[in-house]
Amino acid sequence: MSSANSSKAVTVVEYRDKFLTLSRYAPDETDTTDKRKERFLNGLHDEMQTVLVNIPFADLEALVDSAIQMEGKLNQANENRKRRMMHQSGPSNTSRDRIPSAEDPTDIPKTAFTTRYGLYEYNVMSFGLTNAPAYFMNLMNKIFMNFLDKFVVVFIDILIYSKSEEEHEQHLELVLETLRQHKLYAKFSKCEF
């Protein structure tokens, strides 16, 4: 987080204290629990907002507690990333040094996004762009809205299911035509039938 007047990073605790102080001057903007949570969430760092916006919190204190925990995890992840970068630039550059391990308790999920089936978290980011999975899921859910849970499931991949081979051909045509209408294309080498 950065305040509007300076480029110095502000901790969640500092932000909470400032938020509570300033909220007294705009009581109509923070008169309900939902308004307080929404206003507080809007002032958080984008990375925190992306994850916390999808979690229902009972009150502002629960939101603040989660933001504080997440801030600690993000700070730890940044420190680990810096250490790995320093280590990788050294003489021993093995693949074990570059790939986070499931046994390493300091590795945390790198991103999270909501699907119609619940929250999904990567353990290791699989795309070069940070927002790619969330954007992909949002786009696919929009364009396949009429087909979802009828014969299409979108969860990182596009899955088409059918009762018969003839029905599967019809479903496949509908999906490919929908992709074509939106100027999207499936790579044949990555398809399985």
Side-chain angles (χ1 to χ4, degrees), residues 18-30:
K18 191 62 124 173
F19 176 83
L20 293 175
T21 301
L22 293 174
S23 66
R24 289 185 283 194
Y25 298 106
D28 54 324
E29 294 291 320
T30 57

Side-chain angles (χ1 to χ4, degrees), residues 20-86:
L20 293 175
T21 301
L22 293 174
S23 66
R24 289 185 283 194
Y25 298 106
D28 54 324
E29 294 291 320
T30 57
D31 58 348
T32 66
T33 301
D34 287 339
K35 283 183 181 179
R36 279 191 296 279
K37 291 187 302 187
E38 181 183 354
R39 298 287 185 263
F40 183 83
L41 190 60
N42 287 338
L44 290 174
H45 186 278
D46 290 344
E47 240 178 315
M48 287 187 193
Q49 276 185 28
T50 303
V51 176
L52 296 176
V53 73
N54 296 311
I55 303 171
F57 293 102
D59 56 17
L60 180 63
E61 196 56 40
L63 172 58
V64 170
D65 290 343
S66 290
I68 290 170
Q69 288 177 352
M70 184 176 211
E71 180 181 46
K73 289 179 180 180
L74 288 171
N75 289 341
Q76 184 66 41
N78 286 335
E79 288 300 316
N80 289 344
R81 190 175 305 119
K82 286 178 189 174
R83 271 191 236 113
R84 277 196 292 269
M85 292 299 286
M86 293 296 287

Side-chain angles (χ1 to χ4, degrees), residues 77-146:
N78 286 335
E79 288 300 316
N80 289 344
R81 190 175 305 119
K82 286 178 189 174
R83 271 191 236 113
R84 277 196 292 269
M85 292 299 286
M86 293 296 287
H87 186 68
Q88 285 178 2
S89 64
S92 73
N93 195 4
T94 65
S95 62
R96 187 182 182 291
D97 295 331
R98 290 190 305 271
I99 301 172
S101 165
E103 296 95 27
D104 187 356
T106 60
D107 285 338
I108 62 167
K110 303 298 185 266
T111 190
F113 57 93
T114 304
T115 69
R116 61 189 293 120
Y117 310 105
L119 186 68
Y120 185 84
E121 294 179 313
Y122 279 106
N123 287 329
V124 177
M125 192 66 198
S126 62
F127 295 88
L129 300 173
T130 307
N131 239 3
Y135 182 80
F136 174 78
M137 289 301 299
N138 187 26
L139 177 65
M140 292 301 111
N141 283 332
K142 282 181 182 176
I143 68 171
F144 290 120
M145 186 182 299
N146 297 332

